[in-house]
Amino acid sequence: MKILVCVTSVPDTTTKISFTDNNTKFNKAGVTYIAGPYDDYALSRAVELKEQFGGTVTVINVGEADTETMIRKCLAIGADDAVRVNAVPTDAYFVAEQIAAVAKEGNYDLILMGRESIDYNGGQVHGIVGEMLGIPSITPVMKLDIENGVAKMYKEIEGGKQTVEAPLPLVLGCQEPIADWKIPNMRGIMTARTKPLRVVEPAANDVLTSVDSYELPAARSSCRMIPAEEAETLIMLLKTEAKVL
Amino acid sequence: MSVLIFAEVADGAIRKSSQEALYYGAKVAEMMGTTATALAIGSANTDALAAAGRFGVTKVLHAADGALNEANSMAYASVIAAAAAHEGAKVIVTAKSTLSDGVMARLSGKMKAALGANVTDLPDLSNGFRVMSSIFTGKAFAVTELKADVKIIAIKKNAIVPVETAALATVEAFAPALNDADFSVKITGQTKASGAISLPEADLVVSAGRGFKGPENWGIVEDLANALGAATACSKPVSDLDWRPHHEHVGQTGVKVSPNLYIACGISGAIQHLAGVNSSKVIVVINKDPEAPFFKAADYGIVGDVFEILPKLTAAVKAL
Ligand SMILES: Cc1cc2nc3c(=O)[nH]c(=O)nc-3n(C[C@H](O)[C@H](O)[C@H](O)COP(=O)(O)OP(=O)(O)OC[C@H]3O[C@@H](n4cnc5c(N)ncnc54)[C@H](O)[C@@H]3O)c2cc1C
Ligand SMILES: Nc1ncnc2c1ncn2[C@@H]1O[C@H](COP(=O)(O)O)[C@@H](O)[C@H]1O
């Protein structure tokens, strides 16, 4: 089985978000970058499937050279090789074009992604790649097994879940509990240094959206404390003052 | 040229979450000097569809082919693209949901359309086409220009407050040719918490965390939720421990909610939890620890034991 895992580099989940240059640039100062948490699930499941069926796991990232530490960590977790498309990931359509171009060369059985990136939360790249390759895309997938070339999955729907199946190849947007997060071991870290990381230039340059500026949410005015003994007055306040009941 | 709204159908009628999208789409149409058409896919009641007129759309296209009763992102994207061509629509509006996420991404690929996700307000058409989107899981907003000829807007709950009229829309059958290749994904089963209020759509949410000690203690959470007519939610550890189902977990890696009222009980307020709930209109926090970080993000707070406070609140709601 040949699996391609798409991994994006995002600010750590505890990052305090701020902007510079008159709110036109994200402030990278002091920010730690990690692989998208959902992408981590996708990678972990890919490594498990490789253990089960053999084959290869290739990681792809569209990003500049500073994402290579993150890519090496993916190799340490168990991917065999990696491709970095050397470009700023400007928008979902642009990223999808790069991934689709690499995917076309590779004939992958599965293209696994995260449900969404946690910076722009678009949840778009998998669907666009699926469309570009003319194969199904399914999201958010919480369980994935392969039996005789058919993927058996369950996916989340509003207020429940659905079991679905489809023949390979497929593009999937993954989320927990599809696999347990894997942490690299010493051997993985050692071998990751010598695994191939190919850098390619972008295949196309269609950018359909651009961000003009950023804003932070208005701070909440201070919290009104209600003594525990008078807890029931909360309900009155919610009705008459906050007007939400 | 009109604005097209993808109206999700459930139980034969347009979903509540899509009503906002209808109204939003009608407003955008008004700004652009055109009309709004809704597209409903799957079996639905004609009168229920005509009611879309209350939110400002003049026409509803109904794609009722039985093959479309099961939500299928490939086929739905094809049908929406056909409807957009039929209406000459260059702007397509939807409510963000687990279904529309997959459908709209494919549509963006198919039509080379610029997709604005998590949109929180009406667009700015003064110079180009700009939308405000929630990014970094609710921790910031981005003003984004949609530069392609076709634009897709996926709105976040509470992006707009619909005002209803008594108008009715005309309902037209819409039967584009379907493509077999769009049906290779088979839905083999479905489980849905029936009757319960769907969390992403809920106006009121009661959420509980590890402070409840175990699943056997959720009765008092449900009592308060039932009294309020609220949906229930939980923190991540609670669903990791299987005390509650996964689809109830809110936050960075869970459901993102923006209800009018979010009551957090026995939840510490970790940044990853806040990320999924901080666009709620009013936040109430109940925690026995006065230093719990959640109080900093709250509008109302009670320092106390959830096992004592919740029953009191339930009684007060019932007495309203
Ligand atoms: C990558 C990543 C992603 C994450 N994503 C999410 C996410 O999406 N959603 C999420 O929720 N978390 C997420 N987390 C976890 C998050 O960091 C916290 O660990 C989690 O939110 C804590 O849950 P909690 O508040 O229920 O539990 P705890 O932190 O254990 O807090 C329990 C609280 O209950 C209070 N308490 C205890 N007993 C009582 C009582 N009798 N009465 C009143 N109060 C009481 C305590 O004072 C405490 O504040 C994520 C973490 C990581 C690393
Ligand atoms: N720059 C990128 N490089 C590689 N994969 C990406 C990139 N951006 C997004 N993806 C993949 O697409 C998924 C969905 O991202 P998004 O549509 O941005 O929410 C992510 O979870 C990744 O798996």
Side-chain angles (χ1 to χ4, degrees):
Chain A
M1 178 146 351
K2 279 188 80 179
I3 308 177
L4 183 66
V5 183
C6 308
V7 183
T8 155
S9 163
V10 291
D12 169 54
T13 56
T14 58
T15 306
K16 277 243 179 309
I17 306 296
S18 64
F19 303 100
T20 61
D21 295 54
N22 203 15
N23 281 334
T24 58
K25 284 205 174 65
F26 174 65
N27 183 4
K28 288 187 172 185
V31 173
T32 313
Y33 281 81
I34 57 167
Y38 295 109
D39 311 357
D40 255 346
Y41 286 116
L43 175 62
S44 299
R45 188 65 192 134
V47 171
E48 290 171 2
L49 288 171
K50 181 188 143 182
E51 281 162 7
Q52 189 182 349
F53 296 105
T56 55
V57 174
T58 301
V59 163
I60 181 170
N61 168 259
V62 181
E64 295 181 290
D66 56 4
T67 66
E68 289 194 2
T69 322
M70 182 278 292
I71 297 176
R72 289 282 171 209
K73 198 178 153 209
C74 296
L75 293 169
I77 286 171
D80 299 284
D81 62 341
V83 179
R84 180 172 68 80
V85 180
N86 186 31
V88 180
T90 21
D91 79 346
Y93 195 90
F94 173 82
V95 168
E97 266 180 335
Q98 317 312 325
I99 294 173
V102 171
K104 271 180 196 151
E105 291 168 18
N107 266 319
Y108 295 95
D109 302 295
L110 274 175
I111 302 176
L112 300 186
M113 308 196 190
R115 164 197 191 140
E116 65 179 28
S117 58
I118 62 161
D119 45 6
Y120 288 91
N121 310 108
Q124 303 175 16
V125 173
H126 23 77
I128 305 177
V129 168
E131 197 66 32
M132 286 173 172
L133 298 176
I135 60 176
S137 52
I138 303 167
T139 186
V141 178
M142 303 164 74
K143 188 174 189 312
L144 163 67
D145 289 305
I146 310 289
E147 289 170 24
N148 305 320
V150 174
K152 304 207 163 168
M153 298 155 277
Y154 72 67
K155 61 170 290 212
E156 189 169 278
I157 53 172
E158 253 80 46
K161 65 188 183 201
Q162 235 171 22
T163 51
V164 299
E165 54 182 68
L168 303 180
L170 292 173
V171 184
L172 307 180
C174 304
Q175 78 168 36
E176 61 174 3
I178 196 163
D180 289 325
W181 269 342
K182 295 192 172 20
I183 19 180
N185 58 26
M186 211 46 216
R187 207 183 93 80
I189 295 167
M190 297 306 287
T191 55
R193 291 190 192 145
T194 53
K195 286 181 179 172
L197 194 172
R198 189 158 62 96
V199 179
V200 301
E201 291 307 313
N205 193 15
D206 291 307
V207 176
L208 309 183
T209 64
S210 71
V211 174
D212 286 355
S213 63
Y214 299 94
E215 280 175 30
L216 290 173
R220 278 182 199 268
S221 51
S222 64
C223 179
R224 171 156 179 185
M225 300 305 294
I226 295 152
E229 312 73 63
E230 298 162 20
E232 49 292 332
T233 57
L234 170 72
I235 301 301
M236 226 38 223
L237 288 170
L238 291 175
K239 191 175 166 68
T240 55
E241 188 179 84
K243 299 193 169 54
V244 288
L245 291 185
Chain B
M1 198 191 84
S2 72
V3 171
L4 183 70
I5 300 112
F6 169 49
E8 277 184 55
V9 168
D11 306 319
I14 291 172
R15 288 185 76 121
K16 182 170 165 258
S17 56
S18 286
Q19 294 176 352
E20 270 177 37
L22 293 173
Y23 186 72
Y24 184 103
K27 280 281 160 204
V28 175
E30 198 178 301
M31 291 164 76
M32 295 172 63
T34 178
T35 54
T37 300
L39 169 67
I41 307 178
S43 117
N45 174 295
T46 305
D47 290 339
L49 294 182
R54 305 165 80 94
F55 301 96
V57 306
T58 45
K59 179 163 78 175
V60 180
L61 297 177
H62 184 201
D65 193 312
L68 296 169
N69 280 342
E70 282 180 343
N72 166 329
S73 60
M74 289 179 91
Y76 276 33
S78 297
V79 173
I80 298 171
H86 184 265
E87 295 294 304
K90 297 291 168 103
V91 175
I92 299 163
V93 176
T94 182
K96 198 178 151 64
S97 72
T98 52
L99 171 65
S100 74
D101 272 359
V103 174
M104 292 302 157
R106 290 207 74 105
L107 191 63
S108 161
K110 200 182 278 293
M111 302 186 78
K112 208 171 176 181
L115 203 172
N118 292 305
V119 170
T120 58
D121 213 336
L122 284 170
D124 171 5
L125 307 183
S126 57
N127 169 25
F129 197 112
R130 286 181 175 72
V131 291
M132 179 78 94
S133 304
S134 162
I135 58 166
F136 289 110
T137 324
K139 290 192 250 180
F141 298 96
V143 179
T144 307
E145 183 175 5
L146 305 183
K147 298 198 287 195
D149 184 36
V150 179
K151 296 153 180 84
I152 303 173
I153 306 177
I155 61 169
K156 203 172 156 157
K157 184 178 153 60
N158 271 340
I160 198 162
V161 181
V163 179
E164 289 183 57
T165 66
L168 291 179
T170 56
V171 180
E172 266 177 33
F174 182 64
L178 302 179
N179 178 356
D180 281 348
D182 282 346
F183 293 88
S184 63
V185 179
K186 300 268 177 287
I187 296 171
T188 51
Q190 183 160 308
T191 50
K192 222 169 177 177
S194 63
I197 296 163
S198 132
L199 179 57
E201 286 178 278
D203 289 326
L204 310 173
V205 175
V206 178
S207 188
R210 201 147 52 179
F212 280 80
K213 314 282 188 283
E216 65 282 5
N217 295 326
W218 246 258
I220 55 169
V221 180
E222 281 164 352
D223 287 346
L224 177 59
N226 289 341
L228 285 165
T232 52
C234 66
S235 66
K236 181 170 181 331
V238 165
S239 71
D240 287 349
L241 290 161
D242 269 338
W243 295 356
R244 300 295 292 177
H246 183 271
H247 65 256
E248 272 196 11
H249 125 232
V250 294
Q252 179 112 46
T253 50
V255 180
K256 285 87 187 166
V257 296
S258 42
N260 290 332
L261 175 63
Y262 184 80
I263 306 183
C265 317
I267 302 177
S268 58
I271 190 161
Q272 296 96 347
H273 184 87
L274 294 179
V277 307
N278 57 8
S279 47
S280 307
K281 212 157 122 197
V282 173
I283 294 181
V284 173
V285 169
I286 304 163
N287 196 303
K288 68 175 183 192
D289 174 9
E291 303 299 325
F294 218 145
F295 285 117
K296 291 203 176 67
D299 301 289
Y300 297 93
I302 301 178
V303 176
D305 185 341
V306 288
F307 295 103
E308 287 167 22
I309 308 284
L310 261 64
K312 283 195 194 172
L313 297 181
T314 306
V317 173
K318 287 187 175 155
L320 274 183

